[in-house]
Amino acid sequence: MSLKVCTVNIEGDRHLHRWPAVIKAEQPDVVCLQEVFEADMEYIELELGMSGSFFPMMDINQVNKYHISPRGKWGIALLTNLQVTSPSISESHLAAVPVLYNGGVSGFYYAKSPKVLPFVLPNDASRVFAVGTVLKDGQEYTVGTTHFTWSGKGETTDEQREDLQTFLNVLQQFPELVFCGDFNAPRGKEIFSELEKYYTDNLPKEIQTTIDLELHYAAPLYLVVDTIFSTPQYQLTNVRTLQSVSDHNGVVGEVQRV
């Protein structure tokens, strides 16, 4: 048996008429979402038929030049109907990293803090890694998601380099891990390549972009910034993208223990 995982940056409330039906049809066990409004969580849970854990990254409460709806707390979410618990780690290793707990899922804030700030610029957002251990058919799988630090045009920044070091420190506390999300760092460039030193990128190499070629404001844009990474204890199969769901393509794959 395998665990089916799906991830998608949903771009707030812009595509709520698109992606839920597509994701539900995939029948995933775990759904990881980025750019989620807390105000939409009840609707999303109902549409997917799942329970979710939300972690805020920013408070968007004013009209802004990025045309993001001013609807309050915005962040990431992990949804599942499986039994989920916080992974066992020595938190002394992460004493400097604030942690929030929600529904058995832990949220490690590796950039800024859980105190969400008003939105002015993209990197006013806190950065959080949401992770939980789910149980399916007697097997445990530790699954996480994040929305990594933004940069313009996919170029590497010093802020990304700094945040990556803290992020890796968090990741490396989990010896077995599958994690996914929007990494805001293109495959083939510095940040993505650093992650590949420690984790397997499971998105097939022939896939040239995870930016939707019609729905993204800058389309056509050929960048792979969304994927599913894993440690050697897990093997992923049938990894593919889902188009026409948001400004980013979704990524879905099946996880098995090796």
Side-chain angles (χ1 to χ4, degrees):
M1 296 296 291
S2 62
L3 181 86
K4 194 171 188 179
V5 175
C6 182
T7 180
V8 61
N9 179 327
I10 65 171
E11 199 181 15
D13 55 359
R14 292 185 182 180
H15 308 284
L16 287 173
H17 63 294
R18 297 178 188 274
W19 65 265
V22 177
I23 301 306
K24 188 173 182 178
E26 290 288 333
Q27 297 183 313
D29 297 297
V30 179
V31 175
C32 298
L33 303 176
Q34 304 85 48
E35 295 195 8
V36 183
F37 281 110
E38 185 177 35
D40 291 326
M41 281 299 294
E42 183 176 355
Y43 173 82
I44 290 169
E45 289 175 316
L46 268 172
E47 286 294 299
L48 297 183
M50 290 179 159
S51 297
S53 300
F54 172 84
F55 295 89
M57 294 169 52
M58 190 185 297
D59 190 5
I60 305 177
N61 52 30
Q62 294 182 356
V63 174
N64 55 83
K65 67 179 182 179
Y66 299 96
H67 307 293
I68 303 174
S69 302
R71 298 183 58 230
K73 290 182 179 179
W74 173 98
I76 63 173
L78 190 152
L79 299 99
T80 185
N81 279 334
L82 299 174
Q83 178 184 330
V84 57
T85 57
S86 295
S88 298
I89 63 168
S90 173
E91 292 187 10
S92 62
H93 288 108
L94 295 170
V97 180
V99 186
L100 291 182
Y101 300 96
N102 185 341
V105 179
S106 303
F108 294 87
Y109 282 80
Y110 59 89
K112 300 186 174 67
S113 76
K115 183 179 180 181
V116 293
L117 300 173
F119 173 58
V120 179
L121 297 171
N123 280 344
D124 291 333
S126 300
R127 299 294 166 180
V128 58
F129 179 61
V131 58
T133 297
V134 298
L135 181 66
K136 183 180 181 185
D137 300 323
Q139 296 279 355
E140 289 188 338
Y141 304 82
T142 299
V143 182
T145 188
T146 197
H147 187 188
F148 190 69
T149 310
W150 178 85
S151 73
K153 299 180 181 179
E155 296 303 319
T156 305
T157 66
D158 287 340
E159 185 172 13
Q160 284 187 322
R161 293 184 181 101
E162 181 179 348
D163 292 346
L164 178 65
Q165 295 311 306
T166 310
F167 182 41
L168 284 171
N169 186 38
V170 172
L171 292 176
Q172 289 167 3
Q173 306 311 310
F174 304 97
E176 299 183 2
L177 183 63
V178 176
F179 67 102
C180 57
D182 175 1
F183 293 92
N184 272 323
R187 182 156 69 184
K189 292 198 174 183
E190 180 182 336
I191 299 297
F192 201 104
S193 296
E194 281 295 310
L195 287 166
E196 286 185 289
K197 289 180 180 179
Y198 306 97
Y199 303 99
T200 300
D201 166 27
N202 293 285
L203 193 71
K205 298 304 180 186
E206 61 267 23
I207 294 176
Q208 298 180 344
T209 187
T210 58
I211 303 298
D212 191 281
L213 297 179
E214 294 184 2
L215 297 176
H216 197 279
Y217 77 94
L221 197 61
Y222 289 87
L223 299 171
V224 169
V225 294
D226 309 82
T227 192
I228 306 174
F229 286 107
S230 62
T231 55
Q233 297 87 349
Y234 299 117
Q235 180 181 41
L236 276 87
T237 57
N238 300 321
V239 180
R240 53 195 166 82
T241 56
L242 304 172
Q243 288 80 40
S244 301
V245 292
S246 179
D247 65 333
H248 287 233
N249 294 333
V251 180
V252 63
E254 297 174 28
V255 185
Q256 292 178 315
R257 281 194 161 277
V258 175

